[in-house]
Amino acid sequence: MGIFKFMTPEIIFGTNSLSQIGESLLRLGAKKVFVVSDEGVLNSGWVERAVQYLKDCKLDYCLWTEPTPNPKDYEVEKGVHAYIESGCNSVVGIGGGSAIDAAKSVALLATNGGTIRQYEGVDLVTSPLPPMVMAPTTAGSGSEVSQFAIIGNSTRKVKMTIVSKSLIPDIAIIDPLTLMTKDARLTAHTGMDVLTHAIESYISLAATPMTEGYSLQAIRLIAEYLRPSVASRHNREAKEAMAMASLQAGIAFSNAILGAVHAMSHQLGGLLDLPHGEMNSILLPYVLEYNLISCPEKFKNISAAFGENVDILSLTGAAGKAIKAVKELAGDLDIPDSLRNLNLKEDQIDFMSLNAVQDACMTTNPRDMKAADVKLLFRRALGGGF
Ligand SMILES: [Fe+2]
């Protein structure tokens, strides 16, 4: 085993934990808070509630809700102007991964300056960020505990992966009640994103004993609770379990990084602005089939985490059950099994394949992958039908 490090923010988890947001900010020295969210979350009422908790603690605030899904570089740069003009000294993100990534990126530029493109890659942030508290309302991106921010480059039409321990928020507040306002489709897509985080972090080349336990426990929770969470927005037990799965998978992937599924889905998001979780769900079985020979023992453990009786099977048979379980779960959630309906063109596949091998997430994929391999997988995913 080589040298590794492991980091998490302070975590506040539980029903009604959003009520802790004001006190959390006061502990960090906040005076005026830049609250980042988006229109969808605004309509759900969670921002209004969070702002009331800030007022209860006599904290001033400025609300900024301009980021769109798959946030873009120019949006972040508008956001940092608003932050500086407002005189805020701290940042809150409330929402899904898009709002939280935008919030973290505004915080980055507030103290480091320049444009967000300058920070694409690993460990390019040198100055400390303002105090950050993040409250996710999906389960989810894991961005509230991660050292990642994913921002679209509007010129190159790719998603930039920014990795720095400075991007880990000071405090993550995870309130499962916020999941009860999400519809079935969003719950399914974000839940499959969590599964992709758990599996890719588990088989990552950078996985460690500190991350593997979190990855496997997240898979166990998803196997048991994602279907009931999608079935009913009122199932509190399922919402709590999926919030925990998202948290555990987020801790795992923040420290172990991800793999080819994310490297490829970032291209679909960057070029075509497609939903991240749905794209991951479609790509996951194809990439797993490709990755299977790299670590069949780990695939066997994933099968066991899905509840398969692996003791009676050969290693190959047990490992294969993991892919079958992923396909069955996506099928039960009515997620398509191919990219066929996207009408992708040959030159778009070439462009995305070349960019995918440059994505930071590709470096930890357990099987080597060249642009030609990525292209083949995109082609398989276009054919569909597993
Ligand atoms: Fe993701």
Side-chain angles (χ1 to χ4, degrees):
M1 190 189 312
I3 297 169
F4 67 85
K5 61 181 180 179
F6 184 86
M7 300 189 69
T8 71
E10 177 181 332
I11 292 162
I12 302 175
F13 184 97
T15 298
N16 285 321
S17 59
L18 189 62
S19 62
Q20 305 292 305
I21 196 163
E23 287 158 28
S24 299
L25 283 152
L26 286 177
R27 281 195 284 122
L28 297 170
K31 300 267 190 272
K32 187 171 181 183
V33 184
F34 194 69
V35 180
V36 179
S37 192
D38 60 40
E39 289 299 326
V41 182
L42 205 57
N43 294 334
S44 70
W46 294 113
V47 176
E48 195 181 345
R49 192 175 297 194
V51 161
Q52 186 57 51
Y53 293 133
L54 300 184
K55 289 178 183 168
D56 292 346
C57 288
K58 312 231 174 316
L59 281 162
D60 202 358
Y61 70 95
C62 170
L63 182 58
W64 183 66
T65 57
E66 288 179 37
T68 54
N70 295 320
K72 321 295 181 300
D73 43 13
Y74 56 86
E75 294 170 351
V76 169
E77 280 143 30
K78 272 177 78 179
V80 80
H81 285 301
Y83 175 87
I84 292 164
E85 273 178 24
S86 69
C88 289
N89 74 338
S90 52
V91 177
V92 156
I94 303 172
S98 298
I100 293 177
D101 280 355
K104 288 161 69 170
S105 301
V106 166
L108 190 168
L109 292 186
T111 49
N112 285 267
T115 67
I116 199 67
R117 298 177 189 193
Q118 289 169 234
Y119 301 95
E120 181 179 9
V122 180
D123 285 343
L124 298 173
V125 182
T126 49
S127 297
L129 273 54
M132 292 190 288
V133 176
M134 299 296 156
T137 60
T138 61
S141 72
S143 184
E144 69 280 2
V145 292
S146 85
Q147 54 181 326
F148 285 61
I150 311 293
I151 300 294
N153 182 315
S154 54
T155 308
R156 286 167 44 221
K157 301 285 182 202
V158 297
K159 277 190 168 186
M160 300 179 289
T161 300
I162 302 158
V163 187
S164 167
K165 72 178 172 59
S166 301
L167 287 173
I168 298 176
D170 296 282
I171 301 177
I173 298 179
I174 297 127
D175 188 339
L177 277 187
T178 60
L179 306 182
M180 299 175 91
T181 53
K182 301 297 175 297
D183 66 28
R185 189 163 175 267
L186 185 68
T187 305
H189 289 176
T190 51
M192 290 303 286
D193 188 26
V194 178
L195 178 65
T196 312
H197 296 158
I199 293 179
E200 291 212 288
S201 62
Y202 183 62
I203 62 175
S204 161
L205 293 178
T208 72
M210 291 293 289
T211 62
E212 287 169 349
Y214 284 115
S215 299
L216 282 178
Q217 179 57 14
I219 296 169
R220 286 185 203 108
L221 288 170
I222 295 159
E224 186 171 355
Y225 289 104
L226 181 51
R227 288 178 179 90
S229 180
V230 171
S232 168
R233 66 171 63 188
H234 304 294
N235 186 332
R236 189 175 284 202
E237 183 187 356
K239 299 300 177 194
E240 286 187 356
M242 283 308 302
M244 181 55 75
S246 176
L247 171 61
Q248 295 190 333
I251 291 170
F253 92 75
S254 176
N255 289 283
I257 322 293
L258 293 158
V261 179
H262 274 77
M264 292 170 70
S265 75
H266 287 162
Q267 311 316 317
L268 290 161
L271 184 64
L272 303 167
D273 223 3
L274 294 164
H276 176 71
E278 185 181 22
M279 294 305 110
N280 279 338
S281 182
I282 295 171
L283 292 168
L284 183 58
Y286 300 99
V287 175
L288 289 180
E289 279 164 359
Y290 178 85
N291 281 339
L292 180 60
I293 61 165
S294 63
C295 49
E297 283 285 349
K298 282 196 160 180
F299 274 66
K300 178 181 171 183
N301 294 339
I302 294 170
S303 302
F306 268 105
E308 299 288 344
N309 183 1
V310 293
D311 295 336
I312 55 167
L313 299 169
S314 66
L315 177 59
T316 311
K321 289 274 186 189
I323 303 170
K324 187 165 170 280
V326 169
K327 290 176 184 174
E328 283 174 359
L329 179 55
D332 287 350
L333 303 182
D334 294 327
I335 295 177
D337 62 5
S338 85
L339 302 171
R340 169 184 323 118
N341 293 331
L342 302 181
N343 293 320
L344 288 174
K345 302 191 175 49
E346 190 72 28
D347 60 331
Q348 290 176 316
I349 296 171
D350 288 342
F351 176 78
M352 292 193 296
S353 301
L354 286 170
N355 285 319
V357 291
Q358 306 295 331
D359 190 286
C361 292
M362 192 60 98
T363 56
T364 48
N365 193 65
R367 184 173 174 187
D368 293 342
M369 206 177 262
K370 299 192 208 62
D373 303 314
V374 179
K375 194 173 167 183
L376 191 69
L377 287 180
F378 271 130
R379 289 207 153 283
R380 281 185 195 156
L382 277 163
F386 299 124

